[in-house]
Amino acid sequence: MKERMDYSSAAPGLMKALNGLQNYVDHSSIEGSLLELVRIRVSQINGCAYCIDMHTKDARAAGETEQRIYMLSAWRESPFYTERERAGLEWAETLTLISSDKVSDELFEHVRQHFTETELADLSGAIIMINGWNRLAIPFRDVLGVYQPKPQAKVAELAQA
């Protein structure tokens, strides 16, 4: 598919604001491995090929296994994720589909068992960000396949943040 519009050039102020929030999320209390799993899963739900390509590449560069990436769409039936990751993925799916999947008290209490208040706010910010990026990449058709993973030093830094 051909790119419809270069929104980065069309709205540099928007990009500056989004990149500022992205920088916060990248250095937040949530471990880099969980951030990438959430980014991939949300992008799968939204059907964002560009973001799936980007974040699977970043996850692999950071040492994520292919098996866990391949099984992400079926994480509930897979034994490869920790309880914290499962809670994070469920939170991500619910917030992504919030108009149909309301956030129940039971889900909130379950997720709170695995995340501090700061972590839950940071995780929610990460989910907001990837949903936002999906909502730019899909309609404006970001060019698929050109993204290259971040240098290993940057990926390692994100994983430790």
Side-chain angles (χ1 to χ4, degrees):
M1 281 191 242
K2 184 179 175 200
E3 182 180 51
R4 289 179 172 159
M5 185 178 93
D6 179 359
Y7 53 86
S8 296
S9 296
L14 172 64
M15 294 310 296
K16 182 178 180 181
L18 290 174
N19 285 324
L21 182 53
Q22 186 63 59
N23 185 57
Y24 173 84
V25 166
D26 288 344
H27 297 90
S28 72
S29 63
I30 304 301
E31 61 274 20
S33 58
L34 180 54
L35 285 174
E36 290 303 340
L37 292 175
V38 164
R39 289 169 179 157
I40 296 165
R41 184 64 192 124
V42 168
S43 297
Q44 288 173 334
I45 292 167
N46 289 328
C48 185
Y50 180 85
C51 293
I52 294 169
D53 180 63
M54 171 189 279
H55 294 295
T56 56
K57 287 175 179 177
D58 283 346
R60 287 293 297 134
E64 186 57 76
T65 67
E66 289 183 25
Q67 185 176 41
R68 283 171 35 101
I69 292 170
Y70 297 156
M71 295 304 297
L72 200 48
S73 63
W75 64 266
R76 283 180 177 83
E77 293 80 33
S78 172
F80 307 125
Y81 306 97
T82 67
E83 288 304 312
R84 178 178 165 90
E85 289 169 336
R86 290 174 180 284
L89 290 167
E90 187 169 13
W91 189 251
E93 288 183 357
T94 300
L95 268 59
T96 299
L97 301 169
I98 200 162
S99 65
S100 60
D101 294 350
K102 305 300 183 207
V103 181
S104 69
D105 290 339
E106 294 79 17
L107 174 60
F108 178 78
E109 291 306 321
H110 172 71
V111 173
R112 284 283 290 126
Q113 294 174 16
H114 301 280
F115 296 91
T116 67
E117 287 185 359
T118 297
E119 290 172 332
L120 189 52
D122 286 348
L123 177 61
S124 298
I127 296 162
I128 290 165
M129 278 308 308
I130 191 59
N131 272 289
W133 290 123
N134 289 172
R135 280 151 179 78
L136 289 170
I138 294 169
F140 297 122
R141 294 186 179 157
D142 282 356
V143 179
L144 183 61
V146 298
Y147 177 81
Q148 293 302 309
K150 299 172 183 114
Q152 272 296 13
K154 179 66 175 170
V155 173
E157 176 185 305
L158 285 178
Q160 294 174 358

